[in-house]
Amino acid sequence: MDLLAMVLEGSKAELNEQQAIDYAIALSLSEQDRKGKKSIDKQLARAQTKEDEHIAKAQLEDDEQLAKALQESMYMESPPRCETENIFQPYPFNFPSECRICARCNTEIGHGEFLICMGADWHPECFRCHACSRPITDGEVKFSISDNRSYHKLCYKKPRHPRCEVCKNFIPANSEGVIPYREHRFWKNKYCPSHEHDGTPRCCSCERMEPRDTRYLLLDDGRKLCLECLDSAIMDTHECQPLYLEIQEFYEGLNMKVEQQVPMLLVERQALNEAMEGEKNGHHQLSEIRGLCLSEVQTVPTISRRPRIGADYQFIGMRTEPYRLIRRCEVTAILILYGLPRLLTGVILAHEMMHAWLKLKGYRNLSPEVEEGICQVLAYMWLESELYTASGSDVVSSTSSSSSSLYFSSSSFTSSKKGKRSDFEKRCGEFFKHHIELDASPAYGDGFRTGRQAVDKYGLKNTLDHIRLTGSFP
């Protein structure tokens, strides 16, 4: 039934025909308006949906670009390599593998965590310290890169940051980031500068500064002797006599025999200093006197019995006896400080023996550089002969003078009656040589180097003849 019929049938009592027609027309127009509005609403809804889809697509593209930018920023290559610490943190993420190959195991990484470092991809368990071979985990805040190798920060620091050989700690850096430390020029042991002033002991013979728990023998004059040097130390006058005879034989082998019998006494430091004060002549420029060639008449207390080692590594039971020196010639005695290793005692004794030889042969008024220099040359020559004998080689060691054949006669090579030396004693002998070679004092250092050059060039006899005539080195 159409709308007009319905209206006419339902409202016959109330509406005439014309009114019904007008009302029906109005209803029809209202229905069309509603349909048109509904169509417009649908079009607006479709337009809004398209706009929302466009906005969502644009937002997705922006999000993808932002994520890509973040990913690229996080997966930067390692900083440039250098020899100093290069610190950064690895970033593990879950991303598609893209056929990534681990730089360590050369297998495909697959899905899961991986690292990018030094321009390569790594399984987390394959990214390891080059020093200790343990993995550098993602919990490691800092690690180091050097020579395209990765290190734990501490592993990188250990071989490069000097550790004090006295206190066993890493030597601290100063406010400027510089690590100041001391290193012995021969032994090469490194230690904190503070140990030079905090009472850390040093051996009076080899001059080593050793770990804090090292035991030293305490001599009665305050000197400390390491136990390695104690092994060959000479402690009394009687014990030193064989060495004295060996050095006399060495001089005879050089055709420089000391004709007169000169007493040799081992003494304490106080007795040596007192004898030096009573000596009118001679050159005494060392900060610590270890030997003395006397020409004055004195009474000297000499050590007649080797002391024993008591509690806390201290000497006890030392016996001294007064020795009255008598002038029989220009030299009354040679005094040597007790408690030093055999090789060092021999160096001092050979030096003082040359002083005696010069006085007995009439060499007068020599300058300190000439007299002390030539005495050091003879001491150095004796030490070289000892080290040559100890080596058991037919060739002088590389540290010896190239012209050693000018120094020694065949008898000087067989003068040593000492048994086989320890490796440490041989090393100590090289240290004593090194000390003579690099002595910075004008008389003992510069004088030695000038005298050695003269002997190398002209020979020992010609050098001594020139000194007798001119008072100077040729």
Side-chain angles (χ1 to χ4, degrees):
M1 181 183 295
D2 60 10
L3 180 60
L4 179 59
M6 291 174 63
V7 172
L8 291 176
E9 183 178 355
S11 305
K12 291 179 178 179
E14 298 178 0
L15 299 173
N16 57 32
E17 184 176 356
Q18 184 62 43
Q19 290 174 331
I21 292 172
D22 293 339
Y23 185 69
I25 292 172
L27 288 176
S28 176
L29 292 174
S30 177
E31 182 69 19
Q32 291 177 3
D33 290 342
R34 285 196 299 272
K35 290 181 179 180
K37 184 178 183 300
K38 185 175 181 180
S39 175
I40 292 171
D41 290 342
K42 288 182 179 180
Q43 293 177 359
L44 291 175
R46 285 196 296 270
Q48 183 66 40
T49 300
K50 291 182 178 180
E51 182 177 359
D52 291 344
E53 290 176 353
H54 178 73
I55 293 173
K57 183 177 180 181
Q59 182 66 43
L60 180 60
E61 292 177 353
D62 290 343
D63 290 345
E64 289 177 350
Q65 292 178 356
L66 178 60
K68 185 177 180 180
L70 288 173
Q71 179 182 353
E72 291 176 351
S73 66
M74 289 179 177
Y75 279 80
M76 294 185 300
E77 289 189 359
S78 304
R81 298 188 302 275
C82 59
E83 292 305 320
T84 57
E85 287 185 299
N86 202 351
I87 306 301
F88 64 98
Q89 182 177 3
Y91 297 90
F93 290 98
N94 291 310
F95 285 108
S97 65
E98 300 179 1
C99 297
R100 298 182 185 274
I101 302 299
C102 177
R104 181 180 179 88
C105 65
N106 293 320
T107 62
E108 185 175 344
I109 292 178
H111 296 280
E113 292 186 342
F114 66 94
L115 301 173
I116 294 179
C117 185
M118 299 184 291
D121 302 324
W122 310 78
H123 290 112
E125 65 274 13
C126 288
F127 190 65
R128 295 174 177 264
C129 174
H130 181 71
C132 69
S133 297
R134 294 196 304 271
I136 301 176
T137 65
D138 56 3
E140 302 272 354
V141 178
K142 294 181 179 179
F143 61 93
S144 302
I145 300 294
S146 179
D147 293 333
N148 210 30
R149 293 169 176 172
S150 55
Y151 297 86
H152 293 108
K153 186 177 180 182
L154 185 59
C155 292
Y156 181 85
K157 182 179 181 180
K158 281 181 178 179
R160 293 165 177 82
H161 191 134
R163 186 186 290 271
C164 176
E165 297 182 32
V166 175
C167 63
K168 300 302 183 182
N169 297 321
F170 286 117
I171 300 175
N174 60 20
S175 58
E176 298 177 353
V178 178
I179 302 174
Y181 63 88
R182 300 291 184 268
E183 181 180 71
H184 195 280
R185 61 185 183 180
F186 179 82
W187 300 107
K188 303 303 180 183
N189 55 324
K190 299 178 178 64
Y191 53 91
C192 301
S194 59
H195 296 318
E196 293 186 340
H197 313 289
D198 62 5
T200 299
R202 188 193 297 265
C203 178
C204 65
S205 170
C206 65
E207 298 184 1
R208 291 181 303 165
M209 189 177 287
E210 300 191 79
R212 282 179 172 171
D213 57 352
T214 301
R215 303 299 299 267
Y216 291 87
L217 180 69
L218 181 62
L219 305 179
D220 66 330
D221 53 14
R223 290 178 293 145
K224 294 180 175 64
L225 192 68
C226 72
L227 301 186
E228 289 88 350
C229 288
L230 173 63
D231 185 57
S232 66
I234 298 179
M235 295 298 179
D236 61 43
T237 299
H238 176 74
E239 189 177 7
C240 194
Q241 290 303 316
L243 178 60
Y244 186 35
L245 295 176
E246 291 176 30
I247 294 176
Q248 287 179 337
E249 291 179 12
F250 171 78
Y251 272 80
E252 290 181 17
L254 298 173
N255 296 317
M256 296 172 60
K257 183 177 181 180
V258 179
E259 302 293 343
Q260 291 83 355
Q261 290 296 319
V262 179
M264 187 280 305
L265 307 174
L266 226 62
V267 298
E268 299 175 86
R269 183 159 61 179
Q270 182 179 355
L272 190 61
N273 291 335
E274 291 175 354
M276 181 191 67
E277 293 176 0
E279 181 71 8
K280 296 179 182 180
N281 302 315
H283 313 291
H284 310 295
Q285 301 181 9
L286 293 178
S287 58
E288 181 182 10
I289 303 299
R290 293 177 170 179
L292 188 62
C293 179
L294 284 179
S295 58
E296 300 297 320
V297 176
Q298 299 185 31
T299 299
V300 178
T302 180
I303 300 175
S304 60
R305 188 178 73 179
R306 179 186 180 95
R308 303 189 311 276
I309 300 176
D312 298 325
Y313 284 83
Q314 290 187 336
F315 267 159
I316 59 175
M318 178 181 290
R319 178 184 296 175
T320 61
E321 295 178 355
Y323 189 98
R324 178 66 179 175
L325 300 178
I326 301 173
R327 180 184 291 276
R328 293 189 176 93
C329 57
E330 289 293 324
V331 180
T332 56
I334 293 176
L335 307 183
I336 303 296
L337 184 64
Y338 89 102
L340 299 176
R342 179 183 179 277
L343 287 179
L344 181 55
T345 302
V347 167
I348 299 168
L349 187 50
H351 179 101
E352 300 303 329
M353 181 82 79
M354 188 59 185
H355 277 300
W357 188 89
L358 291 172
K359 289 181 179 181
L360 294 173
K361 295 298 181 180
Y363 287 74
R364 297 284 186 268
N365 302 320
L366 298 179
S367 66
E369 289 77 8
V370 173
E371 183 166 350
E372 300 298 345
I374 195 63
C375 289
Q376 282 292 77
V377 169
L378 267 294
Y380 186 87
M381 290 165 55
W382 175 83
L383 181 57
E384 277 198 316
S385 73
E386 287 292 294
L387 295 178
Y388 178 93
T389 305
S391 69
S393 172
D394 294 332
V395 180
V396 180
S397 66
S398 60
T399 56
S400 300
S401 167
S402 61
S403 59
S404 294
S405 59
L406 296 175
Y407 294 166
F408 312 124
S409 67
S410 59
S411 62
S412 66
F413 289 129
T414 58
S415 63
S416 177
K417 299 178 177 60
K418 178 73 174 178
K420 184 178 180 180
R421 297 188 182 91
S422 66
D423 292 338
F424 175 78
E425 188 177 3
K426 296 174 186 177
R427 185 66 174 155
C428 258
E430 294 295 338
F431 164 66
F432 300 143
K433 280 185 58 180
H434 181 269
H435 190 276
I436 295 173
E437 293 167 349
L438 298 184
D439 195 310
S441 65
Y444 294 85
D446 295 340
F448 162 75
R449 286 181 284 273
T450 304
R452 186 185 179 194
Q453 290 174 1
V455 173
D456 283 347
K457 186 174 183 179
Y458 301 106
L460 181 58
K461 183 179 183 304
N462 291 335
T463 298
L464 292 173
D465 291 341
H466 191 277
I467 291 174
R468 180 190 293 274
L469 293 174
T470 66
S472 62
F473 290 118

